[in-house]
Short mmCIF file of all heavy atoms in Angstrom, two decimals:
data_model
loop_
_atom_site.label_atom_id
_atom_site.label_comp_id
_atom_site.label_asym_id
_atom_site.label_seq_id
_atom_site.Cartn_x
_atom_site.Cartn_y
_atom_site.Cartn_z
N ALA A 490 139.52 113.51 39.99
CA ALA A 490 138.28 113.10 39.35
C ALA A 490 137.79 114.18 38.40
O ALA A 490 137.85 115.38 38.71
CB ALA A 490 137.22 112.81 40.40
N VAL A 491 137.34 113.74 37.22
CA VAL A 491 136.84 114.68 36.20
C VAL A 491 135.57 114.09 35.57
O VAL A 491 135.57 112.94 35.15
CB VAL A 491 137.90 114.91 35.08
CG1 VAL A 491 137.37 115.86 34.03
CG2 VAL A 491 139.21 115.42 35.67
N PRO A 492 134.49 114.87 35.47
CA PRO A 492 133.30 114.39 34.76
C PRO A 492 133.56 114.41 33.25
O PRO A 492 133.98 115.44 32.70
CB PRO A 492 132.21 115.38 35.16
CG PRO A 492 132.94 116.62 35.55
CD PRO A 492 134.26 116.19 36.10
N LEU A 493 133.31 113.30 32.58
CA LEU A 493 133.56 113.20 31.14
C LEU A 493 132.28 112.79 30.42
O LEU A 493 131.42 112.11 31.00
CB LEU A 493 134.66 112.17 30.87
CG LEU A 493 136.02 112.39 31.54
CD1 LEU A 493 136.98 111.27 31.14
CD2 LEU A 493 136.61 113.75 31.19
N GLU A 494 132.21 113.17 29.14
CA GLU A 494 131.05 112.84 28.31
C GLU A 494 131.40 111.71 27.36
O GLU A 494 132.46 111.71 26.73
CB GLU A 494 130.61 114.06 27.50
CG GLU A 494 130.13 115.24 28.33
CD GLU A 494 129.77 116.43 27.45
OE1 GLU A 494 129.61 116.22 26.23
OE2 GLU A 494 129.68 117.56 27.98
N ALA A 495 130.51 110.75 27.24
CA ALA A 495 130.73 109.64 26.33
C ALA A 495 130.89 110.14 24.91
O ALA A 495 130.16 111.04 24.46
CB ALA A 495 129.57 108.66 26.43
N GLY A 496 131.85 109.58 24.18
CA GLY A 496 132.04 109.91 22.77
C GLY A 496 132.86 111.15 22.51
O GLY A 496 133.24 111.40 21.35
N ARG A 497 133.15 111.93 23.52
CA ARG A 497 133.95 113.13 23.32
C ARG A 497 135.42 112.83 23.55
O ARG A 497 135.78 112.09 24.46
CB ARG A 497 133.49 114.24 24.27
CG ARG A 497 134.35 115.50 24.18
CD ARG A 497 133.96 116.53 25.22
NE ARG A 497 135.02 117.53 25.38
CZ ARG A 497 135.04 118.46 26.32
NH1 ARG A 497 134.05 118.53 27.20
NH2 ARG A 497 136.04 119.31 26.38
N SER A 498 136.30 113.41 22.72
CA SER A 498 137.74 113.18 22.84
C SER A 498 138.36 114.23 23.76
O SER A 498 138.13 115.43 23.61
CB SER A 498 138.40 113.25 21.46
OG SER A 498 139.80 113.10 21.58
N TYR A 499 139.15 113.74 24.72
CA TYR A 499 139.85 114.62 25.67
C TYR A 499 141.35 114.45 25.49
O TYR A 499 141.85 113.32 25.31
CB TYR A 499 139.48 114.25 27.11
CG TYR A 499 138.03 114.51 27.45
CD1 TYR A 499 137.05 113.57 27.13
CD2 TYR A 499 137.64 115.68 28.07
CE1 TYR A 499 135.71 113.79 27.43
CE2 TYR A 499 136.30 115.92 28.39
CZ TYR A 499 135.34 114.96 28.06
OH TYR A 499 134.03 115.20 28.36
N GLU A 500 142.08 115.58 25.53
CA GLU A 500 143.53 115.53 25.42
C GLU A 500 144.14 115.39 26.81
O GLU A 500 143.86 116.19 27.70
CB GLU A 500 144.08 116.78 24.74
CG GLU A 500 145.60 116.71 24.54
CD GLU A 500 146.17 117.95 23.87
OE1 GLU A 500 146.22 118.99 24.54
OE2 GLU A 500 146.55 117.85 22.69
N ILE A 501 144.98 114.40 26.95
CA ILE A 501 145.69 114.18 28.21
C ILE A 501 147.16 114.45 27.98
O ILE A 501 147.75 113.95 27.01
CB ILE A 501 145.50 112.73 28.71
CG1 ILE A 501 144.02 112.41 28.89
CG2 ILE A 501 146.24 112.52 30.04
CD1 ILE A 501 143.73 110.96 29.17
N THR A 502 147.76 115.24 28.84
CA THR A 502 149.19 115.56 28.74
C THR A 502 149.85 115.27 30.08
O THR A 502 149.33 115.63 31.13
CB THR A 502 149.40 117.04 28.40
OG1 THR A 502 148.69 117.34 27.18
CG2 THR A 502 150.88 117.35 28.22
N VAL A 503 150.98 114.61 30.01
CA VAL A 503 151.78 114.35 31.21
C VAL A 503 153.17 114.93 30.98
O VAL A 503 153.79 114.69 29.93
CB VAL A 503 151.88 112.84 31.51
CG1 VAL A 503 152.86 112.58 32.66
CG2 VAL A 503 150.51 112.27 31.84
#
Side-chain angles (χ1 to χ4, degrees):
V491 179
L493 303 180
E494 297 177 16
R497 177 186 163 188
S498 177
Y499 294 84
E500 184 180 72
I501 302 171
T502 304
V503 173

